Amino acid sequence: METRSVKLSSVDVALEGLEDGQTLIIGGSLFHNKPMHLVREIARRQVKDLTVVSVPQASLDVDLLISAGCVAEVRVPYMGFEYLGLAPGFRKAASEGTIRVWECDETHLLAALEATSRKLPSGVAKAGVGTDLHKLNPDLKLVKDHITGEPIMAVGALKPDLAIIHAAAGDKYGNLRYAGYSFGDLIIAEATRQGGGKIIATVDEVMPNVSFTSDPFRTDISCILVDHVIEAPYGAYPCSSHGNYQFDEAAILEYVNAAKSEQSMRDYIENHIMSVPDHEAYLEKHVKLMSVVAARAKIYV
Amino acid sequence: METRSVKLSSVDVALEGLEDGQTLIIGGSLFHNKPMHLVREIARRQVKDLTVVSVPQASLDVDLLISAGCVAEVRVPYMGFEYLGLAPGFRKAASEGTIRVWECDETHLLAALEATSRKLPSGVAKAGVGTDLHKLNPDLKLVKDHITGEPIMAVGALKPDLAIIHAAAGDKYGNLRYAGYSFGDLIIAEATRQGGGKIIATVDEVMPNVSFTSDPFRTDISCILVDHVIEAPYGAYPCSSHGNYQFDEAAILEYVNAAKSEQSMRDYIENHIMSVPDHEAYLEKHVKLMSVVAARAKIYV
Amino acid sequence: MSSKNTSVAWPELAAFVLSKELNDGEIGSPGGARSEIPLAAARLAQLTHAPNLMIITSAAGFVTNNVGRPPAPLFHSTTDYRNIYAGAESVLHFMSIFRTPRDWFFAGGMQVDSYGNLNMTAIGDVKAPKLKGPGGAGLSYAGSVARRYFIYMQQHSRRSFVNKLDYVTAMGYGSGPGEREALGLVGGGPALVFSPLAVMDFCDATKRLRLRSVHPGHTVEEVLDNTGAEMIVPENVPTTALPDNDVLEILRTQVDPSGVLQNLKGSRND
Amino acid sequence: MSSKNTSVAWPELAAFVLSKELNDGEIGSPGGARSEIPLAAARLAQLTHAPNLMIITSAAGFVTNNVGRPPAPLFHSTTDYRNIYAGAESVLHFMSIFRTPRDWFFAGGMQVDSYGNLNMTAIGDVKAPKLKGPGGAGLSYAGSVARRYFIYMQQHSRRSFVNKLDYVTAMGYGSGPGEREALGLVGGGPALVFSPLAVMDFCDATKRLRLRSVHPGHTVEEVLDNTGAEMIVPENVPTTALPDNDVLEILRTQVDPSGVLQNLKGSRND
């Protein structure tokens, strides 16, 4: 009897095939479960002209890729820092016209992903009817419903080339378990797999396979939807690994403040991305033990 | 501060408003998680002309309602007893033309339910293209995809009046937890709620609310999707409560054999339904302690 | 703590006013960029007149009810994991968030017009906007399905209350009565607008923005001076009622014990 | 147990033949009314040449791999809870069952024609059929998305292998080459048909049913006498190869230790 192969990978192996102009979809939402380690690795590789997708909400993840000059188009229903303000890099690039923005409602993006996940050519949403969204976004088509004839918004299937997600734990075969909410990561993985793309997951820790077989109902994402598992403790930092550790508000504000001038943003990117060869170096340089101890303790209020 | 109201109900209260000609949707699949207690109660009330829906698979549940003369139309993708053979009541009624059959693929029924759950007028599936299904079912409409123009099957939103499901456990507010798989019960509850219908759940046992708040990720169906909770130990018998107790093959075959003549089916219905006033009486009369002990023990192989 | 003689910050007033709009047995989702306010409103409703109100923290799928449970802290974000401690009984699958009912939603916006249409897209030409907004989020979706929704504006100015939106991101009543029905939008549309200055609703007949009450310390004139949108002003406009001490006590000891609302940036106008 | 000199029941032969069709690293679902056979085939493949094969017990969403685990009993139904003991690592949400890839599916049918189209609807007029079938199940769906699928027939007769189906419940190759592509069906169509008498596949050029091998104890003539559907018969038709003792040992000790396949109704033709 042969044995199963494992999906534990290095970042270099996992990111093979990453190219300018690809469509990258990022899991998590707002400040949570953002695969920040991979975001920094992609930024450090200075990939260009990416179409970056995230649903429902993106903040530091997509904004950092924009500030690092990797992005040509943004497809994110809500792009901002919520109670910490607007997304500075996104706002600047949009105002200067250096990025395209795919204006949408979150249900348009979800319809496009769900269509791909079901191998259907398109999906629909009622959202957008009566708005200007389809006038700003040529991929949104106002049509008549097949049965009732009422106005409805159709959108073609979206097929990401690469999905990056972060979970609290995974096993060597690619099964993933979240400590808190998994947000849109499942539909993101399903759409990417069904569309022919690649899925990379970072995990705070690798657990034995028996931890999954002992309670398979607890597995949030099946190994059939994961191509590479990268062990990256605190891999979502400074964002949260939802339910595992809280986000570091001060570290996020450090980025927001750096965005106040081009020089300070260049310095930030040099300091946090270009000058750190790998995740271990990043943790060494930017993450204090006591700050992750605090981020963990905060989980319990 | 006021207190919350509870959803624990008697069968009579829960089934108020049940009327001839309504659309009834039944949870579970094949021999599993079928709310047989409620199926018997509905049959005993001799409701007529029901449109009975179940997805993905129905067996004893729908067949018994057909044999009891409650059914005008069947909307079930697979109607049979799997390795135990064809569905005798369904087969007989279909051959005699006493029921209408909504010919479909399971993805047609799911598209119709999902549309309702999302408050959309219709849904689509690729299944059926190239088949005779839409020639046999006027609710299936072969159309051109909104974006690509390729052939696709559209179906209008389906709005059940009443959903009946069975879970291993629930709390007094209507939160439900399954021991095994919940099959299509969630989308069934979502579609029924969003379509304006009523959802009744039987549970093998009522657990304290703290069992749900202590691990909310384990809750399979939220209380917002349940109107009535009926405590009915072995409420799925002779079907399984998936992961809680196995189905009783001998008891299911007893029904299959009863279907061999009209007289023996009349006797079966009198014996199992008409002559038993309530669930307690049913258990007293038809369920031996050792058979449920065995059904439970079988869970562990 | 005693709440007597403690002035009420406008986010607290917002939570109180909005809580009274929520009915027992309803299901809804707090949202918007300042979601502490609607989250506090919903929890206050649960702990006062609406014990069967269920809150879905939309973006994170927690379904919560805090009745009869120990006070839980209020956090800045509805996506914060720690909202699980405020009586979470179930967690919806992500796609189920869009398959469950909403009697109400909350929405913010950069611009609102006199029919309750909202702009979250951009101020100025979207190709090179003066201010790029965060995007549509789920505003149009929520507006299309929710039985009703509540708009809360963080500023009340001629730039935020306008007659013509730069872009329509989410439709309220469009250009007037009957338009939602004609488009097949099943939701009922916006019910109320809360700002730091006043409470506004919409006239049943015309669907026009209408001044309902002005907050203590402010005047109708001040509101009109800062409103660029056409607004119906009744003859008598009452002052927005403050919470009584009992309700304020519940708000400050059980809903927001750490005083998040009192200390929101710009929360003081006294 | 030693398997020597033990005759192979046709369901065992079916499991063996079908297991060889499954490749390492693939994802698929056993299905059909006699799902013990494809379930055994997939587990046998995992334990022989395809350790990275993942089985999704479609109707119950269990994703399983039994490599390196203790033998698990074989049950009659893929929906049986106890399949969880055969190396279930995850359980798909019900709607996710329709959002995950399938390299292969298994399908049964009441009638199959020479292009692999299937009838599960009815024999005779559907208004008052001689035999009402169980319905479409997920056959048409599976046929539309799976990279390929395998058909196994419980009877091989002129009533089950026909030139014209009473009804087309699931489309195979329709009326010939190019038709699937023209309709935008992304799946590859049927790859193989297994019956108690023979193994059949489909000619690449014509998409016509083609006799591939005849089971031991049966003849080409016998197959043709019992086949109402047009079928390509090559000059040399080999006998269906039996599993060697090692594979039979794995099948009988690790995949089906309780002999479910050997004792299936009608499983013996010796």
Side-chain angles (χ1 to χ4, degrees), chain B residues 1-5 114 117-119 173 175 186-187 190 193-194 209 212-213 216-217 219 222-225, chain C residues 27 47-49 51-52 54 56 63 65 67-69 84 88-91 93 96 98-101 186:
Chain B
M1 186 176 71
E2 303 172 40
T3 58
R4 286 171 76 180
S5 36
E114 201 195 16
S117 73
R118 290 169 59 189
K119 292 196 176 285
Y173 300 128
N175 294 297
L186 179 58
I187 188 69
E190 289 168 339
R193 167 65 77 240
Q194 293 282 70
N209 173 256
F212 290 85
T213 51
F217 290 94
T219 305
S222 168
C223 65
I224 64 175
L225 296 173
Chain C
I27 299 162
L47 299 179
T48 53
H49 62 280
N52 298 293
M54 297 303 294
I56 304 176
V63 183
N65 182 304
V67 172
R69 310 191 201 278
I84 204 167
E89 296 178 344
S90 60
V91 179
H93 299 164
S96 287
F98 304 91
R99 297 192 186 124
T100 38
V186 294

Side-chain angles (χ1 to χ4, degrees), chain B residues 21-240:
Chain B
Q22 287 183 331
T23 296
L24 169 72
I25 187 163
I26 303 177
S29 190
L30 199 60
F31 306 130
H32 311 292
N33 295 344
K34 291 298 184 179
M36 293 308 298
H37 164 46
L38 282 173
V39 165
R40 287 183 292 262
E41 289 290 334
I42 289 167
R44 195 153 52 76
R45 283 161 173 75
Q46 299 190 271
V47 188
K48 300 280 173 236
D49 300 326
L50 295 175
T51 291
V52 179
V53 185
S54 191
V55 57
Q57 302 176 321
S59 62
L60 181 62
D61 51 335
V62 173
D63 210 67
L64 185 54
L65 287 172
I66 293 170
S67 297
C70 304
V71 180
E73 178 170 329
V74 173
R75 301 189 177 193
V76 180
Y78 173 88
M79 184 65 217
F81 285 63
E82 203 195 25
Y83 72 96
L84 299 177
L86 295 169
F90 171 72
R91 189 177 159 184
K92 180 172 183 295
S95 305
E96 295 170 353
T98 57
I99 53 168
R100 296 186 303 275
V101 180
W102 200 79
E103 299 293 344
C104 67
D105 180 89
E106 58 194 21
T107 54
H108 297 139
L109 206 41
L110 289 172
L113 291 172
E114 201 195 16
T116 308
S117 73
R118 290 169 59 189
K119 292 196 176 285
L120 295 174
S122 68
V124 297
K126 192 70 190 185
V129 171
T131 74
D132 292 333
L133 293 176
H134 58 294
K135 300 169 190 164
L136 303 174
N137 183 344
D139 291 338
L140 300 179
K141 188 176 171 191
L142 187 61
V143 299
K144 288 183 158 55
D145 179 73
H146 290 306
I147 300 295
T148 66
E150 68 184 83
I152 198 153
M153 206 62 74
V155 56
L158 172 64
K159 300 179 179 180
D161 298 299
L162 175 64
I164 57 174
I165 59 180
H166 179 82
D171 73 6
K172 63 184 177 182
Y173 300 128
N175 294 297
L176 304 180
R177 185 184 297 176
Y178 290 69
Y181 199 57
S182 56
F183 297 96
D185 288 15
L186 179 58
I187 188 69
I188 285 168
E190 289 168 339
T192 304
R193 167 65 77 240
Q194 293 282 70
K198 181 162 76 171
I199 301 104
I200 309 174
T202 55
V203 296
D204 292 314
E205 59 186 331
V206 172
M207 294 196 313
N209 173 256
V210 68
S211 304
F212 290 85
T213 51
S214 62
D215 191 359
F217 290 94
R218 259 290 189 235
T219 305
D220 293 292
I221 295 185
S222 168
C223 65
I224 64 175
L225 296 173
V226 177
D227 296 298
H228 298 281
V229 176
I230 297 171
E231 186 165 25
Y234 306 107
Y237 185 88
C239 292
S240 85

Side-chain angles (χ1 to χ4, degrees), chain A residues 7 117 162-165 173-176 178 184-195 197-201 219-229, chain D residues 27 54 56 63 89-93 96-102:
Chain A
K7 293 176 179 175
S117 72
L162 175 64
I164 57 174
I165 60 180
Y173 300 128
N175 295 297
L176 304 179
Y178 290 69
D185 288 14
L186 179 58
I187 188 70
I188 285 169
E190 288 168 339
T192 304
R193 167 64 79 240
Q194 292 282 70
K198 181 163 77 170
I199 301 103
I200 308 174
T219 305
D220 293 292
I221 294 185
S222 168
C223 65
I224 63 174
L225 295 173
V226 176
D227 296 298
H228 299 282
V229 176
Chain D
I27 300 162
M54 298 303 294
I56 303 176
V63 183
E89 296 178 343
S90 60
V91 180
L92 302 180
H93 298 164
S96 287
I97 288 172
F98 304 91
R99 297 192 187 125
T100 39
R102 297 294 190 283

Side-chain angles (χ1 to χ4, degrees), chain D residues 8 12 17 25 33 52 56 81 84 94 96 102 105 121 123 130 141 175 200 236 243 252 260:
Chain D
V8 177
E12 291 182 306
V17 169
N52 298 293
I56 303 176
Y81 173 78
I84 204 166
F94 184 71
S96 287
R102 297 294 190 283
F105 262 102
T121 303
I123 306 287
K130 279 201 288 299
Y141 163 71
S175 54
M200 291 140 281
N236 304 312
R252 291 181 172 176
V260 167

